[in-house]
Structures are given as structure tokens and as C-alpha cells.
Amino acid sequence: MPTEKDIRKFDGPKTPFYYYDTDMLNRTLESVTSESAKYGFHVHFAVKANFNRRIMETIAGHGLGADCVSGNEIKLALETGFKPADIVFAGVGKSDTEIGYALDSRIFCFNCESVAELQVINELAVAGGSVASVALRINPNVDANTHSYITTGIEDSKFGIRMEDLERAVSFASESNGLKLRGMHFHVGSQILNLNVFRNLCVRINEMLNWFDSRGNFIDVINVGGGLGIDHSNPDALPPFAEYFRIFGTMLERKPHHKIFFELGRAITGQSGSLITRVLYIKEGENTSFAIVDAGMTDLIRPSLYQAYHKIENITSAVGEVRYTVAGPVCESADVFARNIPLPVTRRGDLLAIRSAGAYGEVMASRYNMRDLPGSIFSDEAI
Ligand code: LLP
């Protein structure tokens, strides 16, 4: 956890800002790489979780690949040290320009979500004289038991190819000159802490492997997606990588030629980032005291959008205990980070750390109310 001293050494930067703990990030990456290496797995970082350049460079430095969902993410991944052969391109609505850019960049594989998309990738690849490797995103109908906005693998979700359309997608991908069918892709949701969800996913993947085998289709890429959650009530804890990878290592009926890909976002950067904000006012409400802070939903939207819990700590003061509702300055009733939480006696000028904000924090910031975007600082930056 950042201390007031850690923050002050930056000579009072303009709050709010994201504080990234480099040591925590490196420890997380070491755990991911060593636990996944036990099974020869390939881990791609889901860039959407955090596209801060330094974070990206650090992750590339640990040898992970990149899972991108836009042409701009591919460009940034290339700029920050990821090799084209380690980049996959996912997303339900890839534009022609983005597909063209990905083909020109010679990325490893497109994760495709519909027959219509396969047709466009094929046309563009043929026109440019190349062949696109594709994995088909299959909707596995496995419930992630997480917030409905971040559940993706159940029926009627906009993501993935339905079982009814799979036959057609496989035939098209196998018969088109501009496409090479490499494999299948899954992703059931995000912030998944019940690891049984991944056990269910493995069962489903094995069924699909048999399905491909029975049709005589050769595939060598199995992309199991991401989704491993983090413990928001214990922001200093690493995610349970050992158990997570063991599930896939023991349950997947894998053949020697199969490459197993993961696309983890939150589990890689989530615990390394805190949003640091300053208390502007203490204000008495009818049934609660408000700590009005200078960060708002524009800096970290997760509590407002998903009712997400982020632990909040007062890093200036540790005396006493009072309950506060911590709210931001944005003109929306939803601009509240936490209601009625115990904090030390808090005063104007105190710094609060909103923890576990290293994924889907900085990247989802907006300029609503014409607010400035939050800055970022790394724990090892020169004083
Ligand atoms: N692969 C695909 C195809 C995805 O859609 C996602 C996340 C990931 C991988 C990475 O998932 P992760 O390992 O980070 O759970 N803004 C939301 C989360 C949206 C996740 C979208 N897809 C939040 O703040 O909770």
C-alpha cells in the first residue's frame, strides 16, 4: 500500500492521479510467468485493462503477448515492445481499417466473432495477397456468475459465434483462400473468483475439441480467454495464479501440438494501481458524513457503473474511526466511491488511496464535466 511518504516524495503532484506500484507489478508478472510456464502456456495481456505505456513496456519485458481489441491497441503494443507474432486481435466490431492494419502488421491471429467478419477478413487478406490466421470465438454458454455487464459467454450475448452457426463458420474459414483456421477462442466474463467457472469452461472446451476432431478439422490454438478476478478486500494479495493454471493444466485434454493461450487483464495489473485523491470537504448529511474528494467517476467509473467495491484507505491519518460516504465532484448522484465506510477521522487535505484500481481504471477515464484526465506516477520514479 502506498504511504503518504511515497506520495509526498513526488512533491505534491496534482491529484487525482494513478499510483502504480512497480514492485507489485513485477511480482505479479513473475508469478504469472512462472506458474503458466509449468504447463507451457502462453499468456497474453488484455491491453484494454491498462494501456499506460510504462505498464505495457514492463509487461512486454516479461515476455507476455498482447491481446488487442482495436487498431490503436495493436499500434501501441508494437510500439511498447510486443512482437507481431505475440499479438492477437479480438473484438466483435473490427473495422476494415483495423483489419487492414492488423494484416499489414503480420499479427499472429484474429479472434473472429461472426461469419460476416470472416468474410470481410478473407476479402481484405486476398486483396492484399496475405493469409490471415483465425480462431473462432465460440459462445460456450458457461455462466461466469459475475456482474451482468461483464458476463459474456451466455446465450444472447453479443459475443462469440453461436453453436448453430459454428458449422458454417468452420467450413467458410477452412475453404477460404485468405484464411487459415488455427483454433478456437473463448471468454466467459471478467472478475471471476469462483474457479469452478473455469472448470466448467474446460469441460466445454474438451467437448469442442472432440467436435473439431470428429469433423477432421486440424486446429492448434486453444485460446481460453481471461477473466481471473482479484481480491478487492485484500489489495496486497496476488491473484491465485497457481490454482488457476493448474485447472487448465490438469483438465484440458490437450494434444502435444496444441498451443494454449490466455488473455488476462485485471489479474495482471489490477492490484498494482491505486487512485490517489485529496479530500476537499467534509460535509454532514442527514444520516452520513460525506468526504468529498477531488477524484470522481470520470477518473474511476467502476463503483458507479458496476457497483464495484474498491477498498479506500486514508494514507494521511490513522487516528480514530468515523463512517463516511466518499463522493466525487461530478454532477451525478452515482458519483460515489463507497457509502458509509469506516475511515480514520478525515480532514480537508488528507490523501485517500482507492485501491485495486490498476485495471479498467485509468483506461476508462473520461472528460465529462470537462474535467482533466488523471495523471499517473510509478513508485520507482526519480524523486
Ligand atoms: N479477452 C476478452 C475477449 C475480453 O473481452 C476480456 C475483457 C478479456 C480477455 C480480459 O478480461 P480480464 O482478464 O481482464 O477479466 N470494464 C470492466 C471489465 C470489462 C472486461 C471486458 N473484457 C470492469 O471494469 O470490470
Side-chain angles (χ1 to χ4, degrees), residues 46 48-49 67 69 90 113 137 149-150 152 159 185-187 189-192 225-228 263-267 302 306 359-360 364:
K48 64 173 84 68
D67 158 42
V69 289
E113 306 235 3
R137 177 163 178 183
Y149 285 14
I150 47 179
T152 50
F159 299 103
H185 172 226
F186 302 84
H187 176 74
S190 196
Q191 184 50 18
I192 297 167
L228 178 63
E263 298 172 339
L264 294 171
R266 189 188 320 266
R302 305 197 66 259
Y306 315 114
Y360 307 110
M364 292 180 80

Side-chain angles (χ1 to χ4, degrees), residues 36 110 174 179 241 352:
S36 59
F110 291 76
S174 326
L179 303 178
F241 291 119
L352 305 187

Side-chain angles (χ1 to χ4, degrees), residues 93-377:
K94 304 176 185 77
S95 73
D96 294 22
T97 312
E98 291 174 317
I99 293 169
Y101 178 68
L103 288 169
D104 290 347
S105 305
R106 307 240 170 277
I107 63 155
F108 178 72
C109 191
F110 291 76
N111 294 333
C112 297
E113 306 235 3
S114 63
V115 177
E117 180 192 331
L118 287 169
Q119 285 164 346
V120 173
I121 297 178
N122 179 50
E123 271 169 34
L124 293 172
V126 169
S130 61
V131 177
S133 288
V134 296
L136 304 179
R137 177 163 178 183
I138 298 167
N139 189 337
N141 206 16
V142 168
D143 192 347
N145 287 318
T146 182
H147 193 283
S148 63
Y149 285 14
I150 47 179
T151 290
T152 50
I154 51 173
E155 269 171 19
D156 256 352
S157 149
K158 73 172 176 176
F159 299 103
I161 298 172
R162 293 178 315 159
M163 281 311 292
E164 297 89 295
D165 298 328
L166 189 59
E167 183 92 38
R168 206 154 61 90
V170 170
S171 308
F172 185 82
S174 326
E175 288 155 19
S176 302
N177 291 337
L179 303 178
K180 178 168 171 49
L181 178 62
R182 290 296 293 264
M184 48 183 175
H185 172 226
F186 302 84
H187 176 74
V188 290
S190 196
Q191 184 50 18
I192 297 167
L193 289 167
N194 176 355
L195 297 184
N196 281 331
V197 170
F198 298 114
R199 293 189 179 92
N200 294 341
L201 175 62
C202 286
V203 170
R204 199 70 192 103
I205 294 175
N206 289 339
E207 284 169 14
M208 291 314 304
L209 276 171
N210 288 334
W211 185 86
F212 274 98
D213 261 3
S214 66
R215 292 179 38 106
N217 286 111
F218 177 87
I219 54 164
D220 64 346
V221 171
I222 304 170
N223 186 330
V224 307
L228 178 63
I230 56 174
D231 183 354
H232 281 87
S233 53
N234 190 2
D236 297 314
L238 295 185
F241 291 119
E243 184 169 4
Y244 172 70
F245 289 120
R246 191 179 320 119
I247 289 172
F248 291 93
T250 52
M251 287 190 68
L252 283 184
E253 288 160 13
R254 176 189 187 185
K255 306 243 169 61
H257 66 274
H258 285 149
K259 300 185 218 324
I260 316 289
F261 285 12
F262 289 77
E263 298 172 339
L264 294 171
R266 189 188 320 266
I268 292 177
T269 58
Q271 300 292 50
S272 304
S274 299
L275 177 62
I276 308 294
T277 179
R278 200 178 299 274
V279 177
L280 293 173
Y281 305 106
I282 299 295
K283 166 173 164 171
E284 292 313 314
E286 207 58 52
N287 301 306
T288 186
S289 294
F290 288 98
I292 309 284
V293 296
D294 64 2
M297 61 193 287
T298 50
D299 306 293
L300 177 64
I301 201 174
R302 305 197 66 259
S304 311
L305 188 56
Y306 315 114
Q307 297 78 47
Y309 165 73
H310 285 260
K311 188 169 185 181
I312 302 181
E313 289 162 336
N314 184 327
I315 58 175
T316 305
S317 157
V319 181
E321 189 181 292
V322 178
R323 287 190 170 264
Y324 295 96
T325 291
V326 180
V330 176
C331 301
E332 295 275 347
S333 304
D335 186 26
V336 169
F337 289 111
R339 291 182 196 276
N340 271 311
I341 52 156
L343 283 175
V345 175
T346 296
R347 299 189 175 81
R348 172 175 168 83
D350 284 2
L351 291 173
L352 305 187
I354 307 180
R355 306 291 312 277
S356 306
Y360 307 110
E362 193 181 352
V363 288
M364 292 180 80
S366 81
R367 292 217 49 211
Y368 183 42
N369 284 194
M370 252 193 116
R371 287 169 53 76
D372 290 333
L373 289 174
S376 64
I377 279 173

